[in-house]
């Protein structure tokens, strides 16, 4: 058994397809097939179910896949540790952001870090909160800026920002003259929520349930601007972080504080526990701790 066998096997398992794996690895499909077959022969067991169009892991394949991920991560950590000695104050930070947090971070924190560490590259990619946690867990990115809750057994967390959720209503809504409202007073309203892919969807639904009602969901969207427009056209109300109110340059919407319960939107920096962090990533963590949002 060698590293190359495990690397090919893991990529095929991830892609569930030999062709896609060969394109990513830049290796011919027959070479990958041969390598995985030799691994199966060595272990004397079938790892991949090739009977369907999409390749599936066998029970044994699941076990080997989980162990292979750990082995490959350990090998990557060895290379990273050695590279750190050579590339002092150089490197790359792979950072995942939610679409809303880029505005909060840039230009202050990110620009300041870049001035202090001009030779460190920051690769930023956008995901919704749930995807972002998965990407950090799988090791595709080093760090993620997301919202609570997160799995404390999987991730280390650094608090960045905490703010309240507010009710967004149209300019002729019955709440327009109110400064605050209790969440339970909204039980007969139609809600416009982010889709289930977003953590805020679960936060809002859970808060409503704890206030004694299940929200009537009129629409779901993954686009903040569309949510604002739907509220403005009287299709329903929405619960959003206060910092997002300024995003809606539409005078037909208005934000109202929730008197009870106080619902927090907590932004945190996460990274995987027990994972080697390269120099550049550790420096970014230290910098962001000293320069909170």
């Amino acid at each position: 058994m060698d590293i190359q066998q495990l690397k090919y096997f893991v990529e095929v398992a991830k892609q569930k397809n030999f062709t896609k794996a060969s394109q990513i690895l830049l290796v011919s499909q027959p070479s990958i097939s041969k390598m995985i077959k030799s691994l199966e022969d060595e272990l004397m067991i079938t790892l991949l179910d090739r009977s369907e169009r999409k390749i599936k892991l066998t029970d044994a394949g699941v076990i080997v896949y989980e162990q292979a991920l750990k082995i490959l991560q350990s090998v990557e950590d060895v290379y990273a540790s050695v590279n750190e000695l050579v590339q002092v104050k150089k490197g790359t930070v792979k950072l995942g952001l939610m679409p809303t947090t880029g505005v909060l971070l840039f230009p202050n924190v990110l620009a300041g870090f870049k001035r202090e560490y001009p030779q460190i590259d920051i690769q930023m990619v956008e995901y919704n909160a749930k995807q972002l946690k998965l990407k950090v867990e799988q090791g595709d990115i080093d760090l993620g800026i997301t919202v609570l809750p997160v799995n404390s057994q999987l991730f280390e967390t650094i608090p960045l920002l905490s703010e309240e959720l507010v009710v967004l209503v149209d300019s002729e809504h019955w709440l327009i003259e109110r400064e605050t409202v209790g969440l339970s007073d909204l039980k007969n309203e139609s809600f416009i929520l982010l889709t289930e892919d977003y953590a805020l969807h679960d936060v809002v639904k859970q808060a409503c349930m704890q206030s004694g009602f299940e929200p009537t969901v009129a629409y779901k969207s993954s686009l903040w601007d569309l949510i604002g427009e739907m509220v403005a056209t009287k299709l329903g109300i929405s619960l959003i972080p206060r910092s997002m109110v300024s995003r809606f340059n539409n005078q037909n919407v208005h934000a109202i504080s929730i008197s009870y319960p106080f619902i927090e939107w907590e932004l945190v920096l996460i990274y995987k526990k027990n994972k080697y962090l390269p120099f550049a990533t550790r420096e970014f963590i230290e910098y962001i701790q000293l320069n909170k949002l």
Side-chain angles (χ1 to χ4, degrees):
M1 184 185 302
D2 60 39
I3 297 300
Q4 202 77 322
Q5 286 176 316
L6 296 178
K7 183 179 178 181
Y8 289 1
F9 168 67
V10 164
E11 196 58 45
V12 171
K14 282 183 178 180
Q15 302 304 323
K16 298 181 176 60
N17 185 283
F18 277 93
T19 302
K20 289 181 180 179
S22 68
Q23 292 170 348
I24 292 171
L25 294 168
L26 301 178
V27 178
S28 69
Q29 185 174 328
S31 296
I32 295 176
S33 299
K34 184 178 179 181
M35 191 71 78
I36 293 176
K37 184 63 170 63
S38 68
L39 178 61
E40 290 178 322
D41 291 341
E42 185 176 344
L43 295 173
M44 294 185 291
I45 197 163
T46 301
L47 301 176
L48 298 174
D49 180 359
R50 302 165 174 81
S51 62
E52 301 292 336
R53 187 172 181 179
K54 273 193 174 182
I55 292 171
K56 295 180 181 178
L57 290 170
T58 63
D59 291 342
V62 171
I63 295 172
V64 174
Y65 176 77
E66 291 173 350
Q67 294 301 317
L69 285 176
K70 294 177 183 178
I71 293 169
L72 292 175
Q73 183 63 62
S74 296
V75 171
E76 185 178 327
D77 290 349
V78 170
Y79 281 108
S81 299
V82 173
N83 186 58
E84 177 179 319
L85 296 176
V86 180
Q87 303 289 339
V88 177
K89 292 200 174 182
K90 293 183 179 180
T92 300
V93 177
K94 297 177 182 178
L95 176 64
L97 298 169
M98 296 185 302
T100 52
T101 56
V103 177
L104 296 172
L105 282 175
F106 192 85
N108 298 327
V109 174
L110 295 181
F113 179 80
K114 192 64 179 176
R115 283 194 298 270
E116 192 163 329
Y117 298 94
Q119 296 187 79
I120 293 179
D121 294 324
I122 302 177
Q123 295 180 357
M124 293 180 288
V125 288
E126 286 191 352
Y127 300 104
N128 64 50
K130 292 182 180 179
Q131 290 175 325
L132 194 147
K133 293 168 192 173
L134 182 61
K135 292 293 182 180
V136 174
E137 181 184 351
Q138 293 178 338
D140 295 330
I141 54 178
D142 302 316
L143 304 170
I145 295 179
T146 186
V147 292
L148 292 179
V150 300
N151 187 334
S152 59
Q153 293 184 334
L154 284 177
F155 304 113
E156 299 285 357
T157 61
I158 298 172
L160 299 176
L161 177 71
S162 178
E163 61 179 354
E164 64 174 332
L165 291 189
V166 296
V167 185
L168 194 70
V169 301
D170 66 84
S171 59
E172 296 182 9
H173 196 275
W174 63 273
L175 285 171
I176 198 68
E177 300 298 329
R178 300 270 295 271
E179 291 186 4
T180 64
V181 64
L183 187 59
S184 61
D185 294 333
L186 306 177
K187 62 183 178 181
N188 296 323
E189 296 290 325
S190 294
F191 283 73
I192 301 169
L193 302 181
L194 286 168
T195 63
E196 289 86 346
D197 292 331
Y198 291 80
L200 188 57
H201 173 278
D202 295 345
V203 170
V204 172
K205 289 201 72 172
Q206 184 176 0
C208 291
M209 297 292 283
Q210 290 174 347
S211 294
F213 70 98
E214 183 172 356
T216 300
V217 181
Y219 298 96
K220 297 177 188 176
S221 175
S222 60
L223 303 173
W224 285 102
D225 293 338
L226 181 57
I227 287 175
E229 290 299 324
M230 286 193 286
V231 170
T233 51
K234 305 177 184 178
L235 294 174
I237 65 170
S238 190
L239 268 60
I240 65 170
R242 183 169 286 282
S243 63
M244 291 301 298
V245 175
S246 60
R247 180 178 182 132
F248 304 119
N249 298 318
N250 188 325
Q251 296 183 354
N252 294 322
V253 296
H254 184 70
I256 299 162
S257 296
I258 300 172
S259 58
Y260 183 83
F262 181 79
I263 313 171
E264 281 188 295
W265 188 75
E266 299 175 87
L267 201 63
V268 293
L269 179 75
I270 64 170
Y271 55 94
K272 191 175 180 180
K273 283 187 173 181
N274 304 317
K275 180 183 184 298
Y276 173 81
L277 296 176
F279 166 82
T281 303
R282 295 201 307 271
E283 288 297 302
F284 184 83
I285 291 172
E286 183 176 343
Y287 184 88
I288 209 168
Q289 283 180 303
L290 296 173
N291 298 271
K292 295 291 181 67
L293 304 181

